[in-house]
Amino acid sequence: MGHPFDCLVIGAGMAGAICARELAERGGKKVLVLERRDHVGGNAYDCFDQAGVLIHRYGPHIFHTNDKRVYDYLSRFTPWLSYQHQVVANIPAENGRMEMPVPFNLVSMRAAFGKEKADSLAKRLIAAYGAEKKVTILELRQNPDPEIAALADYVYEHVFVHYTMKQWGQRPEDIDPNTTARVPVFLSEDCRYFQDTYQGMPKEGYTPMFERMLDHPDITVELNVDAGERLTLADGGVLLDGEPFDGTVIYTGAADELFSCKYGRLPYRTLTFRFETHPVDYWQSHGTVNYTVDQDYTRITEFKYLTGQELPGVTTIMKEYSSAYTGAAGEIPYYSIINEDNNALYAKYKAEADRFPRFHLLGRLAEYKYYNMDAIAARALALCDDLLK
Ligand code: FAD
Ligand code: UDP
């Protein structure tokens, strides 16, 4: 007896959900999706908490992209709420605490140094790099001009070094430079966290968007199923429930888990989220407040700002704590720790997976990369273009 499915997708996050939809709808394939959690959506999952507040269970997710294809594709499954994310750093100051925009910009500079000094610094920076330009902290620290160097030291100390130590357990100069480059110093008055053309939040939340994507007669989703219990990669090929499976397999979980971590565990950072509900309309000044100098947590997100939910008298906030992923039961690997050694270890698992010609690793975990949702969506669409040629 053959399998009733043409394709198997492991994981119902952004990568898996888009592939399932594309293979079923565009490719006319029968698709089985296995998801180990009790819900779809992967880390972008959202739900209502006991107070009725729409929360993101796995960290704050804001959609932003310059990729029109991705935006148009997702727009088939959700209307959007216009939302431009703003973040401030909350730091100790002479008389208590102060807040300034992150990424550090011309407004932050005035908050930190007062108008006169900030204006003179802005002139020097704009002469060096150009107006509206983005400069990474590592680049800025290379500048020989003593005034710019002093500014770079200030930003390094007040925005980057402590936050990065909390998030990665390493200093900014010791982690992948693309990571701090996500939040460059911005020679602008623009206080938004992202400048992408398309930004917003799915109007009814992420989960309904994923549910619609997976709602297709040729897609079967099984929740609470770990692929490890159903899928075997053996010398003879791929087995599903012990029977040979020669269809396409798209795997979006961690690559090391597929091979029982036989070359050693891929290093990741995990997060602990602490939710608090407070009897006030709003608890903090912005959607996300980064604690860049002190506190054990990295940031606090208040969901009502992100989701636009109108719910008087109650709000839920979430504190994020980062630590090394150990692989203990229940722990989730969130961030790949990208460096030469870890990439080389990943390459061993990738080579193992590549021995199976119709088996594809896709997604933030499976590719061991630091991808935003839109990048994953673009990769899923491109893989399906390729598979359905
Ligand atoms: P995931 O969402 O991780 O989905 C993988 C799915 O596979 C999971 O549901 C998992 O349970 C399942 N799975 C794994 N192994 C198995 C198995 N063996 N069997 C069955 N199922 C399995 N991106 C943005 O664009 N904007 C943001 O603001 C943003 N904020 C973020 C904040 C945090 C704290 C984090 C960690 C990430 C954030 N991202 C953001 C990135 C975003 O989460 C990812 O780009 C996106 O979720 C990747 O989708 P994915 O399908 O590759 O992976
Ligand atoms: N970062 C920092 N201070 C901040 C914001 C970011 O040091 O106030 C650094 C930190 O190393 C972080 C990286 O920049 O991991 C990327 O930040 P981003 O907000 O993009 O991280 P994410 O939302 O993906 O966790």
Side-chain angles (χ1 to χ4, degrees):
M1 255 262 305
H3 291 286
F5 297 101
D6 305 306
C7 304
L8 175 64
V9 174
I10 314 297
M14 185 66 87
I18 291 183
C19 286
R21 181 78 189 202
E22 284 293 276
L23 292 169
E25 188 173 63
R26 194 146 59 101
K29 311 283 187 201
K30 295 219 177 301
V31 185
L32 174 63
V33 180
L34 301 180
E35 167 57 58
R36 64 154 66 125
R37 297 181 188 171
D38 63 1
H39 58 75
V40 300
N43 288 339
Y45 171 76
D46 53 15
C47 60
F48 290 92
D49 68 7
Q50 284 192 334
V53 181
L54 182 58
I55 57 159
H56 296 181
R57 192 186 287 169
Y58 307 97
H61 279 70
I62 299 104
F63 181 75
H64 56 101
T65 192
N66 289 317
D67 188 330
K68 185 166 186 313
R69 183 181 184 198
V70 165
Y71 177 74
D72 288 345
Y73 188 81
L74 295 179
S75 302
R76 288 182 51 204
F77 307 104
T78 184
W80 298 96
L81 177 81
S82 170
Y83 173 70
Q84 312 269 321
H85 194 47
Q86 292 200 6
V87 176
V88 291
N90 181 304
I91 60 178
E94 271 170 28
N95 312 312
R97 303 188 70 89
M98 68 176 277
E99 292 190 335
M100 60 189 182
V102 175
F104 192 90
N105 64 9
L106 301 182
V107 180
S108 321
M109 211 138 71
R110 287 197 293 275
F113 305 118
K115 185 167 172 7
E116 204 177 318
K117 185 170 173 204
D119 286 350
S120 122
L121 267 170
K123 278 206 190 99
R124 281 182 112 83
L125 285 163
I126 289 168
Y129 300 102
E132 301 298 315
K133 285 286 183 299
K134 294 181 173 178
V135 189
T136 71
I137 185 60
L138 300 180
E139 279 175 78
L140 199 66
R141 293 190 93 209
Q142 306 287 319
N143 195 304
D145 176 334
E147 284 194 43
I148 295 183
L151 170 74
D153 283 347
Y154 178 90
V155 177
Y156 181 82
E157 173 62 28
H158 291 84
V159 179
F160 285 97
V161 68
H162 304 289
Y163 187 101
T164 299
M165 283 303 298
K166 284 190 272 184
Q167 176 71 5
W168 298 99
Q170 284 179 283
R171 300 170 72 79
E173 55 274 31
D174 298 328
I175 64 171
D176 177 14
N178 294 317
T179 301
T180 48
R182 290 166 61 89
V183 190
V185 172
F186 190 18
L187 305 182
S188 173
E189 303 282 332
D190 183 346
C191 291
R192 297 171 306 161
Y193 206 59
F194 311 110
Q195 276 69 44
D196 303 54
T197 311
Y198 308 101
Q199 304 191 35
M201 302 292 286
K203 211 167 200 159
E204 294 125 38
Y206 286 95
T207 305
M209 176 182 86
F210 285 105
E211 284 169 350
R212 280 183 212 117
M213 219 182 278
L214 289 162
D215 181 13
H216 186 282
D218 290 331
I219 300 177
T220 303
V221 180
E222 292 188 28
L223 299 177
N224 303 304
V225 176
D226 195 312
E229 296 157 13
R230 307 274 296 271
L231 181 76
T232 315
L233 297 182
D235 284 342
V238 175
L239 304 180
L240 174 61
D241 299 328
E243 297 279 327
F245 183 78
D246 61 5
T248 295
V249 183
I250 296 174
Y251 176 85
T252 74
D256 56 356
E257 287 182 17
L258 262 181
F259 301 103
S260 314
C261 302
K262 68 178 188 183
Y263 299 118
R265 261 194 191 285
L266 279 168
Y268 287 96
R269 298 291 288 178
T270 188
L271 297 171
T272 303
F273 301 112
R274 299 233 159 91
F275 293 86
E276 293 171 16
T277 297
H278 295 280
V280 293
D281 289 343
Y282 287 97
W283 189 85
Q284 64 183 20
S285 64
H286 292 77
T288 297
V289 176
N290 288 359
Y291 287 78
T292 54
V293 173
D294 55 1
Q295 312 297 354
D296 294 338
Y297 42 85
T298 50
R299 58 187 176 187
I300 301 182
T301 294
E302 182 168 7
F303 296 103
K304 281 169 69 180
Y305 282 101
L306 277 56
T307 60
Q309 187 182 9
E310 283 177 30
L311 194 64
V314 66
T315 192
T316 298
I317 62 163
M318 183 187 73
K319 296 177 175 164
E320 277 177 61
Y321 301 79
S322 173
S323 58
Y325 172 69
T326 65
E331 230 178 45
I332 295 177
Y334 285 107
Y335 293 88
S336 310
I337 304 176
I338 293 171
N339 62 36
E340 242 175 70
D341 288 352
N342 298 350
N343 291 350
L345 178 57
Y346 171 76
K348 289 190 183 177
Y349 288 114
K350 169 89 170 85
E352 289 276 333
D354 285 347
R355 289 170 39 225
F356 302 89
R358 305 193 70 188
F359 190 94
H360 305 273
L361 295 175
L362 177 80
R364 181 157 151 137
L365 284 171
E367 297 181 73
Y368 202 68
K369 289 268 167 53
Y370 196 148
Y371 283 135
N372 288 330
M373 287 182 284
D374 65 323
I376 293 295
R379 293 185 68 71
L381 291 171
L383 174 62
C384 292
D385 287 346
D386 209 32
L387 293 172
L388 299 174
K389 280 206 284 248

